[in-house]
Amino acid sequence: MLWLATCTWLMGACATLPGGPVAGQPPSSSQVMERLEVRRQAVQSFSMQGEIQGRNQAGELNGEQRIMGRYPDRLRAEVMGPFGRPALLLISDGVRMAVLAYGENKAYQGPASRANVARFLGLPLTPAEIYSLLTGSVPLLTGGQGAVHPSSQAGRAVLQLKDGAGLEQGLIFSLDDYTVFEAWVSDRNQGQSLNAKFEALASQGPGRYPKRILLSDQDGRSLSLDCDQLKINTALDDKLFEPSLPPGMEVQELP
């Protein structure tokens, strides 16, 4: 939808998270972006388990979720409905995806596009965007104007970005370790917006990461995840992210 429509990923991997700004010297927007990117790339894999709730024009989703991911865009999401019955299995290697929609008694395969992801998860995001959001980070607009402003809460600041083509982005972050608390992006020309909130932060490995994530857009679509279990940088088998389906199933090709 918006997060990467006109964005370019910053490149280069780093092993450790950045420190905070020098006392008395507020960081520049470029410094903040660099440190947020280092933080994003510090998460090479994750696994989470807990509750999921979603709402869109097609209805509501409530159940249990088990989600795993590997940097930068591999995902495996399992959703269980009432009484632990399987509801959805989505697997993506970042390029293609395979889906078992148990409620429809159908299987699907095709490109891992925003439209195809939205068909099953509600919000039109790419696998790379989902990976970033589930690990408490956001893709950043680049090539435009940026500014850093103080927050009303001590120890926090606000990064504001504009790309010159109608896209605006903002996020509230910690000046200490660059943990993101809230982020939003909007397109003034098309009247689109997406908001993300990261709550119930827990210390894991290289930083603090959210055990509660809330996503919503201007059309009333929403997705929330509450995690009872969260592991960062755990070893995950390559086969978990192969977008394949059990043999003998009738598969519908996604556009």
Side-chain angles (χ1 to χ4, degrees), residues 3 182-185 193-197 214-217:
W3 289 105
E182 185 173 358
W184 57 94
V185 63
S193 65
L194 181 65
N195 183 271
K197 292 184 179 181
L214 307 172
L215 307 174
S216 60
D217 71 2

Side-chain angles (χ1 to χ4, degrees), residues 44-80:
Q44 291 294 302
S45 67
F46 75 89
S47 64
M48 60 174 60
Q49 184 172 332
E51 296 181 358
I52 184 171
Q53 294 181 326
R55 182 177 70 243
N56 59 25
Q57 291 86 344
E60 296 187 357
L61 170 68
N62 295 283
E64 301 289 321
Q65 52 83 7
R66 291 197 297 264
I67 306 175
M68 293 176 282
R70 201 168 73 183
Y71 183 87
D73 53 14
R74 295 191 175 193
L75 294 170
R76 181 185 182 94
E78 299 177 69
V79 178
M80 284 69 67

Side-chain angles (χ1 to χ4, degrees), residues 37-214:
E37 178 65 7
V38 171
R39 185 182 190 279
R40 184 182 72 86
Q41 293 191 24
V43 183
Q44 291 294 302
S45 67
F46 75 89
S47 64
M48 60 174 60
Q49 184 172 332
E51 296 181 358
I52 184 171
Q53 294 181 326
R55 182 177 70 243
N56 59 25
Q57 291 86 344
E60 296 187 357
L61 170 68
N62 295 283
E64 301 289 321
Q65 52 83 7
R66 291 197 297 264
I67 306 175
M68 293 176 282
R70 201 168 73 183
Y71 183 87
D73 53 14
R74 295 191 175 193
L75 294 170
R76 181 185 182 94
E78 299 177 69
V79 178
M80 284 69 67
F83 308 108
R85 295 174 180 170
L88 181 74
L89 171 63
L90 184 150
I91 307 170
S92 174
D93 62 3
V95 178
R96 291 186 60 81
M97 59 189 287
V99 179
L100 281 174
Y102 293 93
E104 302 177 35
N105 196 29
K106 289 184 179 180
Y108 301 86
Q109 280 184 325
S113 64
R114 284 188 178 85
N116 287 338
V117 171
R119 176 172 180 171
F120 302 101
L121 297 185
L123 293 172
L125 300 165
T126 68
E129 292 164 353
I130 293 173
Y131 184 97
S132 290
L133 291 167
L134 293 184
T135 55
S137 294
V138 295
L140 298 174
L141 293 175
T142 60
Q145 299 177 342
V148 179
H149 306 284
S151 170
S152 58
Q153 294 180 274
R156 300 185 181 187
V158 181
L159 172 66
Q160 291 186 322
L161 302 170
K162 297 181 181 180
D163 75 344
L167 282 179
E168 296 184 0
Q169 183 178 25
L171 59 87
I172 301 172
F173 66 96
S174 167
L175 286 166
D176 180 36
D177 61 2
Y178 290 85
T179 296
V180 179
F181 302 104
E182 185 173 358
W184 57 94
V185 63
S186 62
D187 186 334
R188 297 194 309 273
N189 298 329
Q190 299 187 32
Q192 296 178 329
S193 65
L194 181 65
N195 183 271
K197 292 184 179 181
F198 306 105
E199 301 175 351
L201 300 171
S203 295
Q204 281 269 347
R208 291 186 293 165
Y209 299 95
K211 298 185 74 173
R212 188 162 197 253
I213 301 168
L214 307 172

Side-chain angles (χ1 to χ4, degrees), residues 6-36:
T6 58
C7 296
T8 302
W9 289 106
L10 299 174
M11 301 302 293
C14 298
T16 58
L17 289 177
V22 177
Q25 298 179 9
S28 66
S29 60
S30 60
Q31 289 174 324
V32 173
M33 293 174 69
E34 179 182 357
R35 289 166 177 171
L36 288 172

